[in-house]
C-alpha cells in the first residue's frame, strides 16, 4: 500500500503532528516501506496455529480492592498550567 | 405517505465496583474532591500499565446473562485513539473486535404493546474525566477522578419505533441493573447516545441517520427523540433541509439539536488490540460461578412472592428496591407471615417514612427488630398502634423494641390481667358512671371505656378492654 501525501497529512492531523512540507516525501516513503515490510511478513509467516495468549493462561486480573491514590499535588505538578484542584487547559467545548 | 422512526441506543452504564477498571483508585465517579482519586495509571503517565479488575468482567457477564446474551469465550480490550483533554492517554481502552457479550434481547412494554428489542452487544470500557468550562476565563478545568471508572456499553439494534419504547427500555435497564447490583444507576451513572432515522412504513431500507450524543436525563432523551423525529419528517416531507449523517447535541434550554464538530469516523479512531492487556478467556466454570452467585432476578422474585400469596401491587413495590426484598426475605425467614411482613414494610414503614419526608428507598431497619415488633403484635403483647410507635422509635432513635415497650409500659395493654386491674381501678373510681350504666344508660359504657383507655395511655387493646369491662360490670349488677 502506498502512502500518499494526502494520507500522510490526514494521519498526521489525527495524531496532532505537524510534518514540514520538505519532509513529506521522506515520511511518505518511510511509511510506505513499513507497510510493505508488514505485507512481506504477513505473506511469509503463518501465525494461524500460534495462541494469542502465549501460555494460554489469559489476562491476569486483580481483585476489586481500593488502594490509596496519589497526592493531588503530584498530578498538578505535571500539568503545564493548573489551579488549586485541577489542571487548566484552553476552553474546549465539544 | 406514513413514516416511522427507527431508533437505536448506545447506553453507557457505570458499574458498581469499589475500584476502577484498570487501577485500584476508588471507582465511584461522583465521590471525592477533584483529582483525589487518581494514580499514575489512570492519569496516563508514561510507563504505567493497566491491570483488569476481575469484578468488572463478572458484572459485564451478569448484565449479559440478564439480557439473554451469548457470553464470549474470548474477549479483548482495544485502544480507541483520539485527542481530548478528558482523555489523559489520548486513547480510551474499550472493546471493538471481541466484545464480552453479543446477541441478546429484552422485552419492553408500553401502552401500545410489547416489543422485543435486540441487543447487538455489551462491551466493557473505561470512562473519561470530567471537564468544567469556565466562561469567565475561557479555560476548561479537568477532573480525572472519573477516568478509568468502569462502564459497560449496551448497544441495541435499531428496533425502537417510539420515544415511549425508549423510556420503557431505559427504566427497565435501570431497575434490572440496580436489582442485580450491577450498577447503582444514580444521577449521571447512565448516559445514552441515540441514533435516529425515519423511513416509509413497511420498508426495510434505513434513512439518513443522526446521532444525538451523551444524554443522561430521561425527559431530555424523550424531548430530543421527539424533536429529531419531527426534524427528519420536515426535511423529508417538506424539504426544509437536507439531512446528512452527523452527530448532534441536544440543547435542553433551547429545546433543539445542534450539529457538533466533525467527529472522527471509526477508521479515524485507529482501533487496535491493546498490547498491554492479554485477551480474557472465559470458561464454562467462570460463567457458571457468575450465574450461581447472581442475586435472584426480578422475575424470579416475582414468582416467589406470588407463591407466597402477595398481591401484584405488593410485589411491584417490594421488587422496586433490592433492599426491600432483602428485608422481606429476612423477616419471613425469621418466621413472620408473608402478608403481614409486606404490610409492615410497605404500609407501616412507608407511612412513617412519609411522615418524616422520606421515601421507601431510604428505609433502613434491622430485620430482627422489625420481626420482633411483628412478633409482639401478633402475640397480642402490644396492639398495632403501639407497634407503630415502637417502629418509629426503632427507625429514628435506634431503639430496641423490648426495651422501648418496657420503658413506655406498652406490654401491659396486651396482658389481660394487667388490663383487668386497670378496669377495676376505673370502675372503683367512677361509681356514678357504673350506677348509670347498670341503670340502663348504655352511653355510660363509653365513658368507662374511655377512662380505661386513658389509664393505658391510649395503647389498650379495644377488644380486650370491652370484654373485661362487660365482665366486671356484669359482676356488679
Amino acid at each position: 500500500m502506498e502512502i500518499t501525501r494526502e494520507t500522510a497529512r490526514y494521519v498526521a492531523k489525527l495524531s496532532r503532528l505537524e510534518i514540514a512540507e520538505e519532509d513529506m516525501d521522506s515520511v511518505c516513503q518511510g511509511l510506505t516501506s513499513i507497510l510493505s515490510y508488514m505485507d512481506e511478513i504477513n505473506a511469509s509467516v503463518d501465525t494461524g496455529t500460534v495462541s494469542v495468549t502465549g501460555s494460554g493462561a489469559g489476562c491476569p486480573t486483580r481483585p476489586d480492592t481500593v488502594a490509596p491514590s496519589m497526592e493531588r499535588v503530584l498530578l498538578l505538578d505535571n500539568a503545564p498550567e493548573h489551579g488549586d484542584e485541577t489542571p487548566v487547559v484552553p476552553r474546549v467545548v465539544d | 405517505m406514513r413514516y416511522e422512526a427507527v431508533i437505536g441506543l448506545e447506553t453507557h452504564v457505570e458499574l458498581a465496583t469499589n475500584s476502577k477498571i484498570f487501577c485500584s483508585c476508588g471507582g465511584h465517579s461522583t465521590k471525592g474532591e477533584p483529582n483525589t482519586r487518581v494514580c499514575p495509571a489512570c492519569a496516563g503517565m508514561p510507563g504505567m500499565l493497566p491491570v483488569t479488575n476481575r469484578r468488572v468482567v463478572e458484572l459485564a457477564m451478569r448484565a449479559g446473562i440478564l439480557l439473554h446474551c451469548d457470553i464470549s469465550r474470548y474477549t479483548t480490550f482495544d485502544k480507541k485513539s483520539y485527542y481530548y483533554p478528558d482523555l489523559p492517554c489520548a486513547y480510551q481502552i474499550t472493546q471493538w473486535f471481541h466484545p464480552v457479550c453479543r446477541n441478546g434481547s429484552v422485552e419492553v412494554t408500553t401502552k401500545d404493546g410489547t416489543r422485543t428489542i435486540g441487543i447487538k452487544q455489551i462491551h466493557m470500557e473505561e470512562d473519561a474525566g470530567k471537564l468544567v468550562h469556565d466562561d469567565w476565563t475561557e479555560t476548561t478545568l479537568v477532573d480525572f477522578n472519573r477516568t478509568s471508572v468502569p462502564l459497560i456499553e449496551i448497544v441495541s439494534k435499531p428496533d425502537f419505533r417510539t420515544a415511549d419504547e425508549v423510556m420503557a427500555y431505559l427504566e427497565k435497564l435501570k431497575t434490572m441493573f440496580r436489582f442485580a447490583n450491577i450498577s447503582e444507576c444514580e444521577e449521571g451513572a447512565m448516559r445514552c447516545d441515540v441514533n435516529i432515522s425515519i423511513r416509509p412504513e413497511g420498508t426495510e431500507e434505513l434513512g439518513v441517520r443522526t446521532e444525538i450524543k451523551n444524554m443522561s436525563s430521561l425527559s431530555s432523551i424523550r424531548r430530543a427523540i421527539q424533536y429529531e423525529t419531527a426534524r427528519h419528517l420536515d426535511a423529508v416531507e417538506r424539504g426544509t433541509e437536507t439531512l446528512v449523517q452527523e452527530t448532534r447535541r441536544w440543547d435542553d434550554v433551547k429545546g433543539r439539536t445542534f450539529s457538533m464538530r466533525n467527529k472522527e469516523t471509526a477508521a479515524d479512531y485507529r482501533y487496535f488490540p491493546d498490547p498491554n492487556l492479554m485477551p480474557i478467556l472465559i470458561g464454562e466454570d467462570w460463567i457458571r460461578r457468575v450465574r450461581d452467585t447472581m442475586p435472584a432476578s426480578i422475575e424470579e422474585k416475582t414468582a416467589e412472592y406470588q407463591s407466597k400469596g402477595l398481591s401484584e401491587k405488593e410485589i411491584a413495590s417490594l421488587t422496586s428496591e433490592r433492599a426491600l426484598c432483602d428485608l422481606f426475605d429476612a423477616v419471613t425467614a425469621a418466621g413472620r407471615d408473608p402478608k403481614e411482613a409486606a404490610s409492615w414494610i410497605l404500609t407501616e414503614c412507608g407511612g412513617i417514612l412519609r411522615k418524616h419526608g422520606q421515601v421507601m428507598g431510604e428505609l433502613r431497619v434491622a430485620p430482627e427488630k422489625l420481626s420482633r415488633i411483628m412478633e409482639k403484635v401478633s402475640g397480642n403483647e402490644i396492639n398495632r398502634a403501639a407497634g407503630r410507635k415502637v417502629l418509629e422509635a426503632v427507625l429514628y432513635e435506634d431503639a430496641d423494641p423490648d426495651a422501648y415497650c418496657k420503658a413506655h409500659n406498652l406490654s401491659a395493654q396486651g396482658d389481660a390481667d394487667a388490663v383487668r386491674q386497670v378496669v377495676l381501678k376505673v370502675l372503683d373510681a367512677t361509681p356514678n358512671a357504673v350506677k348509670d350504666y347498670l341503670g340502663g344508660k348504655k352511653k355510660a359504657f363509653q365513658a368507662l371505656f374511655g377512662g380505661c383507655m386513658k389509664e393505658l395511655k391510649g395503647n389498650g387493646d379495644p377488644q380486650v378492654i370491652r370484654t373485661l369491662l362487660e365482665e366486671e360490670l356484669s359482676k356488679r349488677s
Side-chain angles (χ1 to χ4, degrees), chain A residues 24-79:
Chain A
M24 194 56 79
D25 282 339
S26 66
V27 166
C28 289
Q29 274 172 18
L31 289 175
T32 300
S33 69
I34 290 170
L35 292 178
S36 299
Y37 186 50
M38 285 312 303
D39 287 339
E40 270 186 58
I41 293 175
N42 286 335
S44 59
V45 178
D46 178 13
T47 58
T49 57
V50 178
S51 163
V52 173
T53 60
S55 66
C59 178
T61 57
R62 61 176 176 80
D64 184 27
T65 50
V66 177
S69 297
M70 70 180 172
E71 293 292 327
R72 181 164 60 192
V73 63
L74 295 176
L75 172 79
L76 298 180
D77 280 348
N78 278 279

Side-chain angles (χ1 to χ4, degrees), chain B residues 81-94:
Chain B
S81 298
Y82 63 96
Y83 283 88
Y84 210 61
D86 60 5
L87 205 61
C89 298
Y91 60 84
Q92 178 196 27
I93 301 177
T94 179

Side-chain angles (χ1 to χ4, degrees), chain A residues 10 62 72 91-92 94, chain B residues 20 23 34 133 135 261 268:
Chain A
Y10 190 78
R62 61 176 176 80
R72 181 164 60 192
R91 181 181 158 97
V92 176
D94 199 356
Chain B
K20 293 184 177 182
C23 68
H133 305 297
D135 289 337
R261 64 177 175 88
D268 293 342

Side-chain angles (χ1 to χ4, degrees), chain B residues 98-119:
Chain B
H98 303 284
V100 62
C101 307
R102 288 191 217 254
N103 300 328
S105 65
V106 63
E107 288 195 344
V108 296
T109 302
T110 65
K111 57 179 172 28
D112 298 321
T114 299
R115 188 189 294 279
T116 300
I117 304 297
I119 303 296

Side-chain angles (χ1 to χ4, degrees), chain B residues 194-378:
Chain B
V194 180
N195 293 284
I196 186 165
S197 63
I198 63 169
R199 67 184 176 196
E201 276 185 8
T203 62
E204 292 294 320
E205 192 178 335
L206 295 174
V208 175
R209 175 172 57 90
T210 55
E211 181 188 22
I212 313 170
K213 282 201 82 67
N214 210 25
M215 292 187 292
S216 54
S217 143
L218 289 185
S219 63
S220 296
I221 293 169
R222 179 190 284 281
R223 290 177 66 208
I225 290 172
Q226 288 166 342
Y227 173 86
E228 197 61 12
T229 306
R231 189 179 76 88
H232 280 232
L233 279 170
D234 274 349
V236 167
E237 289 185 326
R238 298 195 292 125
T240 48
E241 59 181 296
T242 302
L243 293 173
V244 296
Q245 182 163 320
E246 61 176 344
T247 300
R248 297 175 75 86
R249 67 172 179 85
W250 169 252
D251 188 316
D252 216 34
V253 172
K254 295 192 168 95
R256 51 168 295 195
T257 58
F258 289 88
S259 185
M260 290 175 71
R261 64 177 175 88
N262 287 329
K263 300 277 284 186
E264 291 89 347
T265 64
D268 293 342
Y269 289 126
R270 292 153 284 148
Y271 288 100
F272 73 97
D274 191 323
N276 297 319
L277 290 164
M278 297 283 277
I280 299 174
L281 305 178
I282 300 177
E284 297 303 324
D285 278 351
W286 195 2
I287 296 175
R288 191 170 31 252
R289 272 201 311 279
V290 170
R291 213 183 278 275
D292 289 348
T293 54
M294 269 176 72
S297 67
I298 292 179
E299 287 77 16
E300 286 164 349
K301 276 304 188 192
T302 298
E304 180 191 332
Y305 293 165
Q306 278 170 345
S307 73
K308 290 185 173 177
L310 297 192
S311 71
E312 210 174 290
K313 195 174 167 195
E314 286 167 336
I315 294 171
S317 296
L318 284 175
T319 55
S320 67
E321 295 277 345
R322 164 64 64 180
L324 295 179
C325 287
D326 291 345
L327 178 61
F328 176 84
D329 292 344
V331 167
T332 51
R336 305 282 78 80
D337 174 75
K339 287 290 280 184
E340 277 300 303
S343 175
W344 274 93
I345 291 170
L346 298 172
T347 307
E348 305 298 356
C349 289
I352 293 170
L353 285 171
R354 273 192 300 279
K355 182 178 147 190
H356 288 264
Q358 290 187 287
V359 296
M360 284 306 290
E362 297 174 274
L363 176 62
R364 303 286 180 271
V365 62
E368 60 274 12
K369 286 188 177 181
L370 178 58
S371 177
R372 182 68 185 121
I373 295 171
M374 290 178 61
E375 191 181 11
K376 281 174 156 321
V377 171
S378 63

